[in-house]
Amino acid sequence: MREHIQACKVHSHPGVVFFHFELLSRLASSEPEVKLRALREVKNQIIGNRTKKLSFLKLGAVPAVAGILADSADGVIDKNNCNNNINNILVQSAAALGSFACGFDAGVQAVLDAGAFPNLLRLLANSNEKVVDAGARALRMIYQSKLAPKYDLLQQKNMDFLISVLNSENENVSGLGASIITHSCQTSLEQKALLDAGILEKLVSLLEGGSLSQRDASLESLATIFRNNSEVVSKFVGPEIGRSLSSVIDLAKDRHPRTRLLACMCLIVIRNTSPQLLQNIGIKTKLIHILLELLDDPGQVGDEAPFALSSLIAQKEDLQKLALEANAIDKLQYHLQRGLLHPRRHEGILLALADMCSKLESCRSKFLSLQALNLVADALTNDSADIRTAACTCLKSITRSIKNLSAGYFMNEMIVIPLVQLFLDPSTSVQVAALGALSNIVVDFTTRKSIFVQCGGIRQLVQLARSMEPAVRSNALWALKNFVFLADNRLKEGVFSELTASLLSSLICDPEPSVQEQALALVRNLVDGCMNSVEFVFADDGLILGAVGRQLQRASKPEIGIQGMYALCNVASGNEFHKEAVMHQLFPQMVDKNQSFMIKFLQSNESQLRTAAVWTIVNLTCPSSPGAYGRLVKLRNAGIISQIKKLENDPCVDVKLRAKTVQGHSEAFGVQPLLEHQTS
Amino acid sequence: MNKLVMNFLVTEGYVEAAEKFRMESGTEHRMAVKKAVQCGNVEDAIEKVNDLNPEILDTNPQLFFHLQQQRLIELIRNGKVEEALEFAQEELAPRGEENQSFLEELERTVALLAFEDVTNCPVGELMDISQRLKTASEVNAAILTSQSHEKDPKLPSLLKMLIWAQNQLDEKASYPRINDLSSATLDDPTV
């Protein structure tokens, strides 16, 4: 049966297309009665029916209807035509245009392109209530799309219009005002302008005394005005507007699911904007319970609920813990395994699970105990790019579990093969997310990396390291870095021969700082371990080592310095030749000591950077190596030893201990640090 | 009080009584929609809903699907097999593509065509009058919600609450009691 219906669906019946065509020709009729009937018929055909919206759109119905609206609004239609007919035509054409724009971006674009927007606005001033309703509804549909024109809230005349709209007795018109705010208010300047214009009070009155749709629209607008603006939030919870916060809290228990959802979202925005508010545990638990219950709603509300839950718990351990206690993971998993999910809901549930499992091991254990991993693995091959991305994000959180990583739990065909396939995904965000998940999985403490190598993972990662997208390059290097972490030399050689010295050195000098950082971190892990590993940076006449040195000279961020310095530190743990090569990078010719990055790093505020720098000196001056004395003298002459002496009381224990080690080395050779005035 | 009575009349659909209050204009339309579905004139009902408020069916895919499904059921009831098949393919199959659970319901409905005696087949309950009533009440509820009315009238639950509260009080205190609900006068307690 399924095959049959789907097969028949692909093309419309020729008779149907002809019927649509004939209907459009009736729209052009000079007879007002015929025209009106045709308009109404178009409207009834497309309402609720996306396929027909598209099909009429392709036949050019939108400009035709927009033309009728324009003519009728101008009154160019036959003078004998009675008023009633004109009003009916206005109502039907506005309703048809509104339906084209409802939940259908191509329709919104067509309506805007046909120039219908200003004519719909004019309908708001009509004396007939039904015409006003139809116009306001159509405009609200348009404003629910991202494509709607942004309304400039900073212009006084626009603000005046907005206030008049919000003050309207007609609930469609005042609802339109709220939709305009929700769509157009983006900057803190605009939020402030709305606050100053007294819009907050207006919205609060709609919240408390308005109809269902006015309340919902008001909650949405309020959330928009509050977002990341603690000044507006403090005004809202302050004494002047008084008990409005408790009105929102009450609405979170409203009988209408959509109102509950919007009230929760508004409270979440308030909390995320002003973390000192809504801290009481009762409210937090209540929000979690309401959102989990809203997951059961079969419609749009249930689709959006997991996203709201996500924004509530993201980055907040306390809330994740409360949600775990409220059985959030069981509930999310239950919906996930039921299947037949709307794509939006599917994405939301995966993202909510990702946030749940992002910090707490207890959450990850719970998730894994429910056998939910295969559901996430299935979603890796979903048709929707958003779902694939969400599945990767979820995997990334779950694979943070060191316990399960150590057990090699994630390095299996079910997960690794689809993930590697996503490296070639047409969507960049999927690629980036897949690399993120894989980066965790390849930190494997067992020796099961073979699955990844066998399915061509290394070659693909190296390909992605050449991507045009900086985020893809950086994440591919991240994955490679984790892959070679504590790996044996054979695996490292495999990676290096694929990567080549020239590609790696050019990535070290990438224009993007995050790529530089990951490339240097990859070098650091490559040369970590046995003496043979150190040789990688000397391939092709030391191409990589030279690149590391150059990048350290101009390091734009401490993170780059840290990774580069650790790379040098690992090289300096090698033999005499290796140590001298590092010295050469520290003191390239033509650079006097004041410009030495070593001094700069030793004085850095970043304790990690100081640690890496001092460790490098420890390795260079280790008394058991024959050239240590010569290097110590050179370092002292450059003022580095006296700089390290100053670190003997460093607040960071690592730095303090290593600084003492260096001191011990110089005392063993009788090398005294130069005094301050002698070095200047 | 007037509002409360109006709320009761409107919600329960006492058209004539409500008209005497001359307040609510949506009621008549809503009753007409409900009636149309109950009589099997689904297309007519859809047009009426769209005249009332085009947003209702545009933003409520489940309701729209159920109305279309009811239309299909009526076609099958009237023995219009070919028309029913074409309607299922043109109108309903695309909705099934958008939503898996619709597809399953659609499959169940189309299965009616496979049986000689539809009323006694495994999916026969779709042909039942109760299916019409179910759809009709779903439309009714959606229109009420769009008009910001409650789905259930408030008056009966308020009266129940009053009686419950008085019963509770009776055990604990003497107080001015409402004995006659229709006049709602407070009777002094008998000492």
Side-chain angles (χ1 to χ4, degrees):
Chain A
M1 181 59 65
R2 185 165 307 190
E3 301 306 318
H4 175 69
I5 291 174
Q6 291 188 341
C8 292
K9 186 249 132 197
V10 179
H11 291 291
S12 277
H13 199 273
V16 173
V17 176
F18 174 76
F19 167 72
H20 290 171
F21 202 69
E22 185 269 342
L23 177 51
L24 286 190
S25 70
R26 274 190 280 137
L27 280 181
S29 164
S30 55
E31 285 290 315
E33 296 289 342
V34 176
K35 196 188 277 292
L36 183 60
R37 266 203 306 278
L39 271 175
R40 191 158 173 264
E41 214 171 310
V42 169
K43 178 194 78 174
N44 284 325
Q45 289 278 330
I46 61 171
I47 286 181
N49 195 328
R50 220 183 146 80
T51 354
K52 287 213 179 141
K53 284 180 196 187
L54 187 63
S55 138
F56 274 102
L57 190 83
K58 284 182 180 159
L59 289 171
V62 175
V65 177
I68 296 173
L69 174 70
D71 290 347
S72 314
D74 290 339
V76 260
I77 282 189
D78 191 357
K79 293 276 184 290
N80 299 327
N81 203 354
C82 65
N83 240 345
N84 198 17
N85 252 347
I86 291 196
N87 282 343
N88 274 338
I89 288 180
L90 288 173
V91 168
Q92 297 299 334
S93 53
L97 292 171
S99 180
F100 273 118
C102 179
F104 183 53
D105 275 347
V108 175
Q109 194 59 57
V111 171
L112 294 173
D113 289 347
F117 192 81
N119 289 323
L120 288 170
L121 269 181
R122 280 164 67 193
L123 297 187
L124 299 183
N126 197 291
S127 58
N128 183 304
E129 188 77 359
K130 287 196 165 151
V131 174
V132 176
D133 270 338
R137 278 192 182 122
L139 287 166
R140 254 178 43 214
M141 291 301 161
I142 295 173
Y143 269 111
Q144 266 155 28
S145 158
K146 285 190 202 72
L147 299 173
K150 192 175 164 319
Y151 194 77
D152 185 356
L153 297 167
L154 299 177
Q155 279 189 31
Q156 190 53 47
K157 70 170 173 36
N158 284 356
M159 193 61 93
D160 294 342
F161 172 75
L162 185 59
I163 291 171
S164 73
V165 167
L166 281 171
N167 280 329
S168 167
E169 290 286 320
N170 181 316
E171 69 171 287
N172 286 311
V173 177
S174 55
L176 168 65
S179 298
I180 292 176
I181 295 174
T182 307
H183 175 77
S184 302
C185 177
Q186 287 158 351
T187 65
S188 57
L189 216 57
E190 288 160 341
Q191 290 168 328
K192 182 79 171 45
L194 289 167
L195 178 70
D196 293 343
I199 299 284
L200 212 52
E201 286 83 351
K202 188 65 223 162
L203 289 173
V204 168
S205 74
L206 288 180
L207 196 66
E208 287 168 351
S211 69
L212 175 65
S213 73
Q214 285 172 323
R215 266 181 358 218
D216 286 359
S218 166
L219 283 170
E220 250 183 313
S221 305
L222 283 171
T224 312
I225 306 179
F226 294 155
R227 187 160 290 122
N228 299 327
N229 193 326
S230 48
E231 185 192 346
V232 182
V233 170
S234 67
K235 185 91 180 173
F236 181 73
V237 299
E240 283 164 62
I241 309 185
R243 30 176 290 277
S244 10
L245 183 61
S246 56
S247 310
V248 182
I249 295 174
D250 285 344
L251 287 176
K253 294 172 251 167
D254 193 85
R255 51 188 291 136
H256 293 101
R258 190 173 152 74
T259 307
R260 287 206 294 280
L261 176 70
L262 292 172
C264 285
M265 287 163 72
C266 190
L267 292 172
I268 293 168
V269 167
I270 291 175
R271 208 193 112 84
N272 289 350
T273 302
S274 302
Q276 77 281 8
L277 292 172
L278 301 173
Q279 269 306 334
N280 115 29
I281 194 144
I283 289 255
K284 292 195 275 195
T285 317
K286 202 170 285 169
L287 279 174
I288 291 169
H289 279 290
I290 296 169
L291 290 172
L292 288 177
E293 183 199 291
L294 286 173
L295 277 176
D296 295 331
D297 182 284
Q300 213 195 353
V301 169
D303 297 344
E304 294 303 321
F307 289 91
L309 182 64
S310 237
S311 63
L312 176 65
I313 60 171
Q315 309 293 333
K316 295 180 211 80
E317 254 185 62
D318 58 333
L319 280 152
Q320 290 163 13
K321 199 148 170 281
L322 284 175
L324 178 68
E325 286 161 11
N327 291 329
I329 294 187
D330 307 67
K331 193 110 201 231
L332 290 165
Q333 186 269 351
Y334 167 75
H335 283 276
L336 199 59
Q337 55 84 28
R338 272 175 54 200
L340 304 182
L341 293 170
H342 187 277
R344 175 90 181 149
R345 183 184 298 239
H346 199 168
E347 180 195 359
I349 290 176
L350 289 167
L351 289 178
L353 281 170
D355 281 314
M356 278 301 294
C357 298
S358 62
K359 286 182 182 286
L360 299 172
E361 186 63 22
S362 51
C363 289
R364 294 177 203 128
S365 309
K366 177 80 197 173
F367 175 88
L368 292 168
S369 74
L370 295 170
Q371 312 288 320
L373 193 60
N374 57 334
L375 296 170
V376 179
D378 284 348
L380 291 174
T381 51
N382 195 285
D383 287 341
S384 148
D386 290 332
I387 293 177
R388 293 196 299 275
T389 306
C392 293
T393 313
C394 189
L395 262 186
K396 184 177 173 183
S397 288
I398 297 158
T399 52
R400 282 180 184 158
S401 165
I402 305 280
K403 196 174 81 184
N404 287 290
L405 268 180
S406 314
Y409 190 63
F410 306 114
M411 191 54 103
N412 59 45
E413 281 93 350
M414 178 182 85
I415 292 176
V416 173
I417 292 177
L419 261 187
V420 170
Q421 275 159 2
L422 291 183
F423 290 176
L424 298 175
D425 201 277
S427 150
T428 308
S429 52
V430 175
Q431 287 183 328
V432 171
L435 287 166
L438 189 96
S439 295
N440 284 346
I441 294 175
V442 293
V443 184
D444 191 345
F445 304 100
T446 65
T447 47
R448 301 195 198 174
K449 300 193 185 195
S450 54
I451 293 172
F452 181 64
V453 178
Q454 278 159 13
C455 68
I458 299 295
R459 183 159 302 150
Q460 302 237 16
L461 280 182
V462 172
Q463 275 304 318
L464 291 179
R466 299 174 198 265
S467 161
M468 297 293 283
E469 282 296 325
V472 175
R473 287 201 299 278
S474 139
N475 275 25
L477 287 168
W478 194 314
L480 284 169
K481 165 188 88 175
N482 285 355
F483 182 79
V484 298
F485 176 65
L486 298 182
D488 64 40
N489 217 41
R490 195 177 45 81
L491 281 175
K492 284 184 185 174
E493 266 162 18
V495 171
F496 191 74
S497 66
E498 203 60 63
L499 195 61
T500 73
S502 68
L503 176 59
L504 185 50
S505 56
S506 71
L507 286 166
I508 291 169
C509 304
D510 195 273
E512 197 65 34
S514 65
V515 178
Q516 297 167 13
E517 183 190 342
Q518 294 307 322
L520 288 167
L522 171 58
V523 175
R524 170 184 171 183
N525 284 356
L526 260 182
V527 296
D528 174 52
C530 67
M531 196 72 85
N532 286 343
S533 302
V534 178
E535 292 294 338
F536 288 125
V537 292
F538 293 96
D540 288 0
D541 294 328
L543 203 56
I544 295 175
L545 190 62
V548 173
R550 276 198 305 282
Q551 205 48 259
L552 283 173
Q553 293 289 351
R554 53 177 177 230
S556 57
K557 298 195 306 183
E559 290 81 7
I560 293 171
I562 292 167
Q563 299 304 337
M565 211 59 233
Y566 270 118
L568 283 191
C569 178
N570 286 346
V571 177
S573 71
N575 58 29
E576 274 307 296
F577 172 74
H578 299 148
K579 292 185 203 293
E580 281 305 319
V582 171
M583 286 299 282
H584 182 70
Q585 293 307 321
L586 297 186
F587 305 104
Q589 275 134 20
M590 318 292 293
V591 178
D592 74 82
K593 65 175 191 298
N594 287 333
Q595 286 171 301
S596 164
F597 55 81
M598 214 47 194
I599 298 278
K600 200 173 79 188
F601 290 171
L602 288 168
Q603 293 171 338
S604 163
N605 290 326
E606 289 288 329
S607 60
Q608 276 205 65
L609 187 48
R610 296 197 303 275
T611 312
V614 184
W615 254 121
T616 308
I617 305 301
V618 170
N619 284 346
L620 289 173
T621 58
C622 179
S624 62
S625 61
Y629 177 74
R631 287 193 288 276
L632 257 175
V633 172
K634 210 168 172 187
L635 289 166
R636 182 203 51 191
N637 292 344
I640 290 173
I641 300 298
S642 57
Q643 192 61 49
I644 289 178
K645 191 162 173 52
K646 291 180 192 161
L647 299 178
E648 283 185 353
N649 289 315
D650 198 272
C652 171
V653 180
D654 257 358
V655 176
K656 191 165 142 179
L657 288 176
R658 297 317 141 212
K660 288 201 169 138
T661 314
V662 173
Q663 226 42 57
H665 291 174
S666 41
E667 276 160 22
F669 287 108
V671 176
Q672 294 302 316
L674 294 179
L675 295 173
E676 198 65 23
H677 66 271
Q678 288 172 297
T679 64
S680 57
Chain B
M1 192 61 195
N2 273 352
K3 277 192 181 166
L4 206 60
V5 174
M6 193 59 210
N7 164 282
F8 175 75
L9 294 174
V10 169
T11 323
E12 287 294 284
Y14 295 117
V15 183
E16 280 171 30
E19 263 169 2
K20 286 185 183 158
F21 278 89
R22 292 193 299 131
M23 284 173 73
E24 178 56 55
S25 63
T27 317
E28 204 179 341
H29 293 292
R30 185 162 56 82
M31 287 303 104
V33 173
K34 202 170 163 182
K35 204 165 174 191
V37 179
Q38 283 165 352
C39 301
N41 299 327
V42 187
E43 193 173 358
D44 184 39
I46 291 178
E47 289 178 10
K48 284 194 162 77
V49 177
N50 289 344
D51 280 338
L52 204 57
N53 179 351
E55 271 174 69
I56 296 175
L57 295 183
D58 241 342
T59 54
N60 204 333
Q62 183 158 340
L63 173 62
F64 182 68
F65 177 81
H66 285 151
L67 281 168
Q68 298 284 66
Q69 182 191 26
Q70 193 64 45
R71 254 177 99 176
L72 178 62
I73 293 170
E74 300 306 337
L75 286 172
I76 296 172
R77 196 193 309 279
N78 296 332
K80 298 179 177 168
V81 175
E82 255 181 61
E83 216 180 310
L85 262 180
E86 194 178 318
F87 183 76
Q89 288 162 15
E90 284 297 329
E91 303 283 340
L92 286 162
R95 306 287 83 72
E97 290 259 293
E98 290 158 14
N99 184 319
Q100 282 280 335
S101 63
F102 292 170
L103 187 61
E104 287 183 355
E105 284 193 59
L106 172 58
E107 286 172 354
R108 251 164 53 83
T109 318
V110 179
L112 286 171
L113 288 167
F115 296 96
E116 287 280 325
D117 179 9
V118 284
T119 44
N120 288 317
C121 73
V123 285
E125 81 265 12
L126 290 172
M127 299 297 286
D128 207 78
I129 275 310
S130 67
Q131 179 71 22
R132 277 185 185 174
L133 297 182
K134 209 170 107 188
T135 312
S137 92
E138 198 183 339
V139 188
N140 188 46
I143 299 175
L144 279 172
T145 305
S146 79
Q147 291 170 342
S148 300
H149 290 301
E150 307 297 332
K151 281 195 285 258
D152 307 307
K154 284 176 190 159
L155 188 56
S157 55
L158 279 176
L159 288 176
K160 275 185 209 160
M161 211 196 301
L162 173 70
I163 290 167
W164 178 84
Q166 294 199 140
N167 287 342
Q168 294 287 312
L169 273 174
D170 284 345
E171 295 170 12
K172 290 168 184 139
S174 52
Y175 59 96
R177 198 177 195 281
I178 297 179
N179 290 316
D180 180 6
L181 290 177
S182 58
S183 66
T185 47
L186 295 170
D187 297 331
D188 286 331
T190 47
V191 186

